[in-house]
Amino acid sequence: MARTPTAERDPKDRRDKRDRASDRERERERDDEFVDKLVHINRVAKVVKGGRRFAFAALVVVGDSKGRVGFGTGKAREVPEAIRKATEQAKRQMVRVPLREGRTLHHDVKGHFGAGRVLLRSAPAGTGIIAGGPMRAIFETMGVQDVVAKCIGTANPYNMIKATFDALVNLESPRMVAAKRNKKVGEIVSRREAAAGAVGADAANDAASAE
């Protein structure tokens, strides 16, 4: 059977090739917008008949520096493959966290997982990220610039990450609170600023009385 000349091939094949190339380009651009950090890697062993079989487990955090962040775990015989699996899972499990002025949290929040408990506090501009290793990776990939965080009860990076995400999913912006209470956003914000001013005045009075 004679082979069809290249010039007479179906134009549909060319369109399919172009579509695949554009899909790969879009996927590459989508990957470029994410920032990923390797939080922890652990060597695990499985006892089999011939001895022990080693593998690697990776914990990765992925974010877009604009309020979206996710974490994932992966296990494989080689380290790069474990990291790739963890990164893909993290991209599928991303959550959006509302940020105040694009740099800090809207309010203080607590989270827990297992024995681990975390406390996340919003901070004024210039504070920076004051947090431990796994928690710092979350805030850096999420795009937070000012935050104070403390983890109590565990040093396990898996529990620390999950407790932090438990706190982040409970964050609410003034718009979300206003929608729940059928109020205007301005009322919620003004009440928050008044409460912050009262706390600041109490702290100043305490400092003056101590002197």
Side-chain angles (χ1 to χ4, degrees), residues 109-119 151-152 154 159-168 170:
V109 65
K110 295 180 180 179
H112 75 278
F113 183 86
R117 301 191 307 279
V118 297
L119 171 62
C151 181
I152 304 168
T154 184
N159 286 354
M160 205 180 297
I161 290 283
K162 291 177 181 179
T164 305
F165 270 84
D166 180 66
L168 291 176
N170 291 322

Side-chain angles (χ1 to χ4, degrees), residues 11-133:
K12 185 178 179 181
D13 295 338
R14 299 176 189 171
R15 284 199 301 270
D16 291 343
K17 288 183 178 179
R18 284 198 298 267
D19 292 341
R20 286 196 294 270
S22 61
D23 289 342
R24 284 195 297 268
E25 187 175 348
R26 280 197 297 269
E27 187 174 347
R28 197 178 302 115
E29 291 176 357
R30 190 166 59 246
D31 291 341
D32 290 342
E33 73 182 58
F34 292 127
V35 179
D36 59 89
K37 285 187 176 291
L38 177 63
V39 176
H40 183 71
I41 191 156
N42 186 35
R43 192 180 75 166
V44 296
K46 179 181 180 182
V47 179
V48 295
K49 187 176 181 181
R52 288 192 295 176
R53 184 176 297 168
F54 293 101
F56 295 91
L59 175 62
V60 175
V61 174
V62 175
D64 65 352
S65 301
K66 298 176 184 177
R68 292 178 63 208
V69 67
F71 78 96
T73 58
K75 187 185 291 185
R77 299 289 296 275
E78 302 293 336
V79 173
E81 182 65 14
I83 294 175
R84 186 193 65 80
K85 287 182 178 180
T87 304
E88 292 298 325
Q89 187 185 76
K91 289 177 182 178
R92 292 195 300 267
Q93 296 180 350
M94 296 185 76
V95 297
R96 181 171 293 280
V97 180
L99 298 180
R100 182 179 179 183
E101 300 173 1
R103 61 169 186 83
T104 189
L105 309 179
H106 279 285
H107 56 83
D108 300 351
V109 65
K110 295 180 180 179
H112 75 278
F113 183 86
R117 301 191 307 279
V118 297
L119 171 62
L120 314 182
R121 304 193 69 177
S122 58
T127 303
I129 300 175
I130 302 176

Side-chain angles (χ1 to χ4, degrees), residues 11 41 50 92 121 123 139 141 143 146 149-150 167 177 183 187 192 194 209:
I41 191 156
R92 292 195 300 267
R121 304 193 69 177
F139 297 129
T141 55
D146 304 295
K150 180 68 176 176
V177 176
K183 293 187 176 182
E187 297 179 20
R192 181 178 65 184
S209 60

